[in-house]
Amino acid sequence: MNEGPDPGGAYPPAEIARKVERLGVAKARADTLTFFILAVLAGAFISIGALFFVVVVTDSALGYGVTRLLGGLSFSLGLILVVVAGAELFTGNNLIAMAWASRLIGTRDVLRSWVLAYVGNVAGCLGTVLLVAGSGVSSLGGGAVGKTAIALAQAKAGLSVTEAFTRGVLCNALVCLAVWLAIGARSVTDKILAIVFPITAFVAIGFEHSIANWFLLPYGWALGGPGGIPIDGAMRNLAASTAGNLVGGTLLVAGVYWVAYLRGEAVRNRQSP
């Protein structure tokens, strides 16, 4: 006897697409203050994940690949907190483009959501920088954690526009896929497992996440001073990685899945009387 789909299994891709579309409409209509507070939380959560990464990779003798793997697993904490605890992350919110493509929300709605999320995320990151800088975490390991944070910030500030942009594209393709998989999961455990692998991959490979960089670059600057982290390099990274994140999330994930699963439904809805 056919008992139907397993209620404990993941939602099929077509249903995930519809859930993402409905979620995009809800985000576009969210209360401004509530949305902004959740965006600040997301910035703080991603910052904690980034700091966890810094501590884990410091003075590791396990070799480059294994060290980056462990660092990626650690960084996954940030998106796990965003998805499971509830927060609004700019990079994940790029999926709202699916609701826009179906003409369920307007361009102003999309821009409002992205601006609120980005500004709130930055505020959360900078607030976390202030707290972490005053906490003395950089002195852990005899000051090795601080040296690692400065070295990471210097490396990011040294990337060219092309490098930061393309790494941003690839990063948010994986971040949005992690969010996509988490939306398709039914339990908290499944959501965590769905998040861990794509996020670990982007961190281990060295892709650029604009919101994480709003923590790592200012934190490195706070530890190393203006002479240690060039401001022009930091701003170049933030601008290019943000643009890359937008392209990766909206085109490579939201756009591709909209064409695959929702385009026909959107056309039929527009043609119906």
Side-chain angles (χ1 to χ4, degrees), residues 82-136:
V82 167
V83 171
V84 178
E88 295 294 342
L89 181 64
F90 166 74
T91 47
N93 279 0
N94 288 173
L95 291 172
I96 197 176
M98 295 184 77
W100 174 85
S102 294
R103 299 186 183 181
L104 299 176
I105 59 175
T107 301
R108 178 179 293 183
D109 297 319
V110 174
L111 294 178
R112 169 186 174 272
S113 179
W114 285 351
V115 169
L116 279 175
Y118 196 88
V119 173
N121 289 173
V122 171
C125 290
L126 297 181
T128 307
V129 168
L130 291 174
L131 290 172
V132 173
S135 71

Side-chain angles (χ1 to χ4, degrees), residues 206-262:
F207 296 152
E208 294 293 311
H209 190 276
S210 58
I211 304 306
N213 289 354
W214 270 106
F215 171 78
L216 292 167
L217 286 164
Y219 184 48
W221 183 88
L223 296 177
I229 311 298
I231 296 297
D232 59 338
M235 298 310 296
R236 179 177 63 242
N237 176 289
L238 292 169
S241 63
T242 298
N245 288 167
L246 273 170
V247 171
T250 58
L251 296 183
L252 298 189
V253 181
V256 169
Y257 278 126
W258 183 84
V259 171
Y261 293 116
L262 300 178

Side-chain angles (χ1 to χ4, degrees), residues 30-59:
D31 172 74
T32 299
L33 180 58
T34 299
F35 192 94
F36 183 77
I37 290 172
L38 292 175
V40 173
L41 279 178
F45 291 160
I46 293 299
S47 297
I48 294 300
L51 182 61
F52 194 12
F53 165 83
V54 171
V55 173
V56 168
V57 302
T58 295
D59 282 349

Side-chain angles (χ1 to χ4, degrees), residues 109-235:
D109 297 319
V110 174
L111 294 178
R112 169 186 174 272
S113 179
W114 285 351
V115 169
L116 279 175
Y118 196 88
V119 173
N121 289 173
V122 171
C125 290
L126 297 181
T128 307
V129 168
L130 291 174
L131 290 172
V132 173
S135 71
V137 170
S138 61
S139 65
L140 296 176
V145 167
K147 293 178 182 177
T148 299
I150 293 171
L152 281 168
Q154 289 174 334
K156 289 179 178 294
L159 293 175
S160 69
V161 170
T162 300
E163 289 171 329
F165 175 80
T166 52
R167 293 186 190 193
V169 172
L170 293 166
C171 166
N172 209 30
L174 286 170
V175 171
C176 285
L177 283 172
V179 173
W180 179 277
L181 294 175
I183 291 173
R186 296 178 186 267
S187 70
V188 171
T189 300
D190 291 344
K191 290 180 185 295
I192 292 172
L193 288 173
I195 290 168
V196 164
F197 288 99
I199 300 305
T200 298
F202 105 67
V203 175
I205 295 169
F207 296 152
E208 294 293 311
H209 190 276
S210 58
I211 304 306
N213 289 354
W214 270 106
F215 171 78
L216 292 167
L217 286 164
Y219 184 48
W221 183 88
L223 296 177
I229 311 298
I231 296 297
D232 59 338
M235 298 310 296

Side-chain angles (χ1 to χ4, degrees), residues 57-82:
V57 302
T58 295
D59 282 349
S60 172
L62 297 174
Y64 181 81
V66 175
T67 298
R68 297 289 296 191
L69 173 65
L70 293 177
L73 287 169
S74 304
F75 183 87
S76 299
L77 170 67
L79 191 62
I80 290 170
L81 290 173
V82 167

